[in-house]
Amino acid sequence: DAGVIQSPRHEVTEMGQEVTLRCKPISGHNSLFWYRQTMMRGLELLIYFNNNVPIDDSGMPEDRFSAKMPNASFSTLKIQPSEPRDSAVYFCASSSGNSNYGYTFGSGTRLTVV
Amino acid sequence: AQTVTQSQPEMSVQEAETVTLSCTYDTSESDYYLFWYKQPPSRQMILVIRQEAYKQQNATENRFSVNFQKAAKSFSLKISDSQLGDAAMYFCAYFWGGSEKLVFGKGTKLTVNP
């Protein structure tokens, strides 16, 4: 398996634009997680899905952020409109039914909003 | 809420020597899991080692071992025979099945000097 695949690897956008980050989890994994990493706040869980259903979105910072998982092999994280304070590395991770074995992370998307 | 604290923002070690990274956590649960993740400059999050709280025996993975002190809620990582490739950010993480969330500390940046 190719692991968790995220795209794009880097994204630079202007303030006010819509940004969509993409994730393909490992085949057979039924849980998917979106994290945000910044120097100030470290790694924060934004939202997670189980069997394509959003379970906990309490970490989503505000209504400008939305996430979807239309099927078991694809998820998106959208920011609309984007702001400079959204600049961060966004990670997607997936796990099988036994999350107590840890998550497998993608390589992350570095988002810069100018 | 469960929290994870890494009190050493930065550490350094000479190549071939041993270094210990500290981690403490706060929880009222008795059955949980602890992890150390490595994040090299490539940004990839790599699982280093895992500990089950109900096991008294400390986990080991080649040159990596942990000192798990459940009563003290302490989970330190020991890296023996340090190599240049060990240079990275190291994150301690806590998982409890009741929440399905992996909670991370702020990380320790490890530098390995030749």
Side-chain angles (χ1 to χ4, degrees):
Chain A
D1 199 317
V4 177
I5 300 172
Q6 289 188 247
S7 65
R9 183 159 173 81
H10 304 278
E11 176 79 33
V12 180
T13 191
E14 292 186 348
M15 183 174 61
Q17 296 298 306
E18 177 180 296
V19 176
T20 299
L21 312 181
R22 297 172 175 78
C23 175
K24 176 180 169 55
I26 289 175
S27 177
H29 281 192
N30 60 353
S31 295
L32 183 139
F33 309 85
W34 282 100
Y35 280 82
R36 179 172 67 176
Q37 183 179 30
T38 61
M39 289 291 291
M40 291 297 296
R41 301 174 68 90
L43 281 152
E44 305 173 276
L45 178 63
L46 301 178
I47 185 170
Y48 81 90
F49 296 82
N50 187 258
N51 292 325
N52 312 337
V53 176
I55 303 300
D56 186 343
D57 65 354
S58 60
M60 296 286 262
E62 46 197 280
D63 292 345
R64 298 184 297 106
F65 286 70
S66 63
K68 294 182 179 180
M69 191 164 186
N71 57 62
S73 60
F74 185 65
S75 177
T76 59
L77 178 67
K78 184 178 295 185
I79 308 172
Q80 165 64 19
S82 58
E83 297 182 3
R85 60 194 169 112
D86 301 331
S87 297
V89 178
Y90 291 82
F91 284 101
C92 175
S94 69
S95 73
S96 64
N98 285 325
S99 290
N100 57 34
Y101 283 90
Y103 304 166
T104 302
F105 283 80
S107 299
T109 295
R110 178 175 295 280
L111 173 65
T112 303
V113 183
V114 299
Chain B
Q2 292 88 358
T3 58
V4 178
T5 302
Q6 294 179 248
S7 59
Q8 307 151 316
E10 296 188 24
M11 291 281 286
S12 63
V13 63
Q14 291 296 127
E15 195 175 4
E17 295 191 348
T18 296
V19 64
T20 298
L21 309 184
S22 301
C23 172
T24 58
Y25 57 94
D26 184 27
T27 184
S28 58
E29 305 299 329
S30 60
D31 189 14
Y32 50 86
Y33 302 82
L34 297 163
F35 304 85
W36 280 97
Y37 277 84
K38 171 185 177 182
Q39 186 179 41
S42 67
R43 204 165 72 201
Q44 183 70 48
M45 294 287 287
I46 302 165
L47 179 61
V48 174
I49 200 164
R50 168 182 177 269
Q51 175 78 42
E52 298 158 328
Y54 63 85
K55 287 189 176 179
Q56 291 188 335
Q57 186 174 5
N58 289 322
T60 62
E61 288 288 343
N62 300 314
R63 297 183 296 106
F64 297 86
S65 61
V66 299
N67 184 4
F68 174 48
Q69 301 289 328
K70 191 172 185 178
K73 297 180 183 176
S74 170
F75 182 61
S76 60
L77 175 70
K78 186 171 80 171
I79 306 173
S80 304
D81 185 25
S82 297
Q83 300 176 0
L84 295 177
D86 295 333
M89 285 289 292
Y90 285 83
F91 293 93
C92 179
Y94 165 98
F95 178 86
W96 171 57
S99 72
E100 283 290 324
K101 298 178 185 180
L102 195 56
V103 178
F104 287 89
K106 290 291 182 68
T108 296
K109 181 179 181 181
L110 178 66
T111 301
V112 181
N113 300 310

